Amino acid sequence: MTDDKAAKTSNKMWGGRFAAGPDAIMEAINASIGFDKRMAAQDIAGSRAHAAMLAATGIISDKDAEAIREGLLTILSEIESGEFTYSTALEDIHMNVESRLKDLIGAPAGRLHTGRSRNDQVATDFKLWVRDQLDAFESGLEALIKALLAQAEAGSDWVMPGFTHLQTAQPVTWGHHMMAYVEMFGRDLGRVLDARKRMNESPLGAAALAGTSFPIDRHMTAAALGFDRPAANSLDAVSDRDFALEFLSCASISAMHLSRFAEELVIWSSAQFRFVTLSDRFSTGSSIMPQKKNPDAAELIRAKVGRIYGANTALMMVMKGLPLTYSKDMQEDKEQVFDAADNLMLALAAMEGMVRDMTGNREALEAAAGSGFSTATDLADWLVRVLGLPFREAHHITGSLVALAEARGCDLPDLSLSDMQGVNADITEGVFDVLGVQNSVNSRMSYGGTAPEQVRSQIARWKEILA
């Protein structure tokens, strides 16, 4: 189709209001086909449901509905095979599909738009597209959680340092650390499921903004498209973009969690830590340093949160000043959502792959777990539990013993009983039962604690949740 012909076609579809086609600048700023063609499958699904409803309610004939159905299936096949030609003069995916439908079936194509508007049509298409992304988001999170569970199960009793301020704090288990991320991504999963349930109302049939005088059946089209119900207010239905904002909000929080874990993988895989080895599939080499193995996938995941969070902010800014109902500003609601969805799914898949492939270095983890006087809290707790000291006094005694060990160049378990009794005469041989890192983690039996038994209990709980 030539540009002149496309412009004339566009004018005909708009009716007689405009005598001439838009100039190049107006066409460029007005067109959205360059990005909203990603919603082609959703647009055709919505049109098929609408046409079937129009026939069922007697608004159009069964013959016309069948012609529309066959024509739409042909267009879908053309799009999927790459044979469909898009025109910027026709502005968007909706007009491109309708124009091609007219080429294919003639006059019946003009009946398809009965009882609807582009306003409810685009809201429906976009909501269907976002719903598909939420489903993919759910699957990606579940795959990542399963990979983390496998790591947790394999190392449920491995000891490693737990950190605060990135300083050694107390010994924990590898499984416990992996399960911390299971909880984070589990909450992300809960947000996704909540968002999907909340957004699953159909805008179709709200028409331009006020509904329609045709005797349409909105419950029928809602059911056909997998919605729970039609949206209850036509003004809200065409102007609502909460569903896209909620998707971006969920994506931003999850991307932040991905970034936190990516940061740990970058640190852990360094020569200074050697806690994990990342597979070659998710690492790269250096162009001049042959010994280097760079955690590029983790670093790129760490950066994705900026794009995803930026998309959330951008859409907030688009929507914040819009009166009801539709304004052309809302054409700017899709590109950032598309970009965020693409980058989120890529980051989830990359993280899941890294977690599945990575190898924990048990020896390095255990060696680090015993450094930095990591069992000092266990010593203080023992003084309270066994000797009945107030915790603040126990804290002071422990600090003195840490200072002594530091001066001797050894760790707490390496001090002799007489050394300890020099600080507090009541300390007995039993104190050494709590000073080893394995003893420390085994003792943390409180619910949600780091003891291997607790870790295995939480793994079993999450397996039940996912099942």
Side-chain angles (χ1 to χ4, degrees):
M1 182 184 296
T2 66
D3 286 344
D4 287 346
K5 184 177 178 183
K8 290 176 182 176
T9 304
S10 177
N11 293 332
K12 288 177 183 176
M13 297 186 80
W14 276 112
R17 171 65 180 84
F18 298 99
D23 62 23
I25 294 174
M26 184 59 191
E27 181 177 299
I29 198 171
N30 203 42
S32 59
I33 189 60
F35 53 87
D36 70 14
K37 62 186 178 183
R38 290 187 63 164
M39 303 190 301
Q42 289 80 14
D43 188 73
I44 289 171
S47 289
R48 289 179 62 194
H50 186 67
M53 179 276 296
L54 291 176
T57 53
I59 297 171
I60 67 173
S61 69
D62 290 339
K63 181 180 179 182
D64 284 348
E66 179 61 20
I68 291 169
R69 189 186 78 84
E70 291 298 324
L72 289 171
L73 288 175
T74 298
I75 294 169
L76 181 61
S77 177
E78 291 175 349
I79 291 171
E80 289 176 344
S81 66
E83 298 173 4
F84 191 89
T85 302
Y86 296 99
S87 166
T88 55
L90 292 170
E91 296 183 18
D92 55 31
I93 186 61
H94 326 297
M95 300 297 269
N96 270 264
V97 169
E98 189 172 333
S99 176
R100 178 59 179 149
L101 186 64
K102 186 176 181 181
D103 290 343
L104 289 171
I105 68 172
R111 302 188 186 281
L112 174 59
H113 213 51
T114 307
R116 76 173 182 185
S117 161
R118 278 206 301 182
N119 292 354
D120 62 330
Q121 188 179 0
V122 67
T124 302
D125 292 1
F126 195 24
K127 187 170 274 195
L128 288 171
W129 193 91
V130 170
R131 191 178 69 183
D132 288 344
Q133 300 311 301
L134 285 169
D135 290 342
F137 195 174
E138 177 188 353
S139 297
L141 284 169
E142 287 183 350
L144 176 54
I145 289 170
K146 288 174 181 176
L148 287 163
L149 287 172
Q151 285 284 353
E153 197 163 29
S156 62
D157 59 352
W158 296 6
V159 289
M160 66 174 289
F163 298 96
T164 61
H165 309 279
L166 205 55
Q167 306 295 313
T168 299
Q170 292 176 263
V172 296
T173 51
W174 169 265
H176 197 50
H177 201 109
M178 295 299 106
M179 291 304 293
Y181 283 102
V182 168
E183 293 294 331
M184 290 185 211
F185 293 119
R187 289 192 296 275
D188 292 339
L189 181 59
R191 277 183 280 270
V192 167
L193 296 174
D194 287 347
R196 193 192 191 285
K197 182 178 180 181
R198 193 161 24 252
M199 63 92 74
N200 207 32
E201 297 182 343
S202 174
L204 192 57
L209 75 161
T212 178
S213 58
F214 290 97
I216 63 172
D217 184 346
R218 293 190 62 208
H219 291 276
M220 179 180 174
T221 51
L225 294 171
F227 289 110
D228 295 330
R229 65 192 69 84
N233 184 284
S234 60
L235 298 172
D236 176 57
V238 298
S239 61
D240 165 40
R241 294 300 182 270
D242 298 4
F243 62 90
L245 285 165
E246 195 162 7
F247 167 72
L248 291 175
S249 179
C250 293
S252 296
I253 295 171
S254 191
M256 177 269 293
H257 288 150
L258 288 167
S259 181
R260 293 185 70 182
F261 195 22
E263 170 72 1
E264 295 207 308
L265 294 181
V266 170
I267 294 169
W268 289 357
S269 62
S270 68
Q272 290 72 26
F273 273 73
R274 297 186 302 109
F275 283 5
V276 298
T277 301
L278 300 178
S279 76
D280 291 347
R281 295 200 310 144
F282 294 97
S283 307
T284 63
S286 165
S287 60
I288 63 169
M289 294 172 283
Q291 84 282 8
K292 292 289 294 299
K293 185 175 181 181
N294 299 323
D296 282 9
E299 292 171 354
L300 288 166
I301 290 170
R302 189 173 57 185
K304 293 295 184 187
V305 67
R307 293 177 69 161
I308 295 169
Y309 189 81
N312 190 23
T313 303
L315 185 54
M316 281 284 192
M317 293 302 100
V318 168
M319 298 301 299
K320 72 174 182 63
L322 299 186
L324 295 180
T325 54
Y326 182 82
S327 298
K328 194 70 172 180
D329 311 51
M330 292 167 73
Q331 184 167 291
E332 294 296 312
D333 60 359
K334 297 174 192 67
E335 282 182 281
Q336 55 264 39
V337 178
F338 294 161
D339 182 76
D342 290 346
N343 282 283
L344 174 70
M345 293 312 301
L346 184 58
L348 277 170
M351 182 60 83
E352 189 248 335
M354 277 196 298
V355 171
R356 285 201 180 278
D357 286 2
M358 74 181 182
T359 303
N361 184 344
R362 185 174 185 177
E363 291 74 22
L365 290 163
E366 186 166 355
S371 67
F373 308 104
S374 63
T375 56
T377 305
D378 297 275
L379 173 55
D381 288 347
W382 184 89
L383 293 169
V384 172
R385 189 172 60 251
V386 176
L387 301 187
L389 298 179
F391 183 79
R392 285 302 170 199
E393 184 179 345
H395 187 283
H396 178 75
I397 292 170
T398 302
S400 298
L401 290 169
V402 166
L404 178 60
E406 202 165 29
R408 297 275 180 84
C410 66
D411 203 351
L412 286 171
D414 301 319
L415 291 174
S416 68
L417 180 58
S418 61
D419 289 333
M420 294 193 181
Q421 288 175 338
V423 176
N424 184 285
D426 295 329
I427 295 176
T428 68
E429 191 75 32
V431 73
F432 292 100
D433 292 339
V434 301
L435 289 182
V437 291
Q438 195 67 58
N439 290 335
S440 174
V441 296
N442 288 341
S443 72
R444 304 290 172 178
M445 279 293 296
S446 57
Y447 181 82
T450 194
E453 185 178 329
Q454 282 293 318
V455 171
R456 287 189 278 267
S457 174
Q458 294 301 328
I459 292 171
R461 180 176 71 89
W462 267 101
K463 285 183 175 181
E464 282 187 26
I465 291 171
L466 293 177

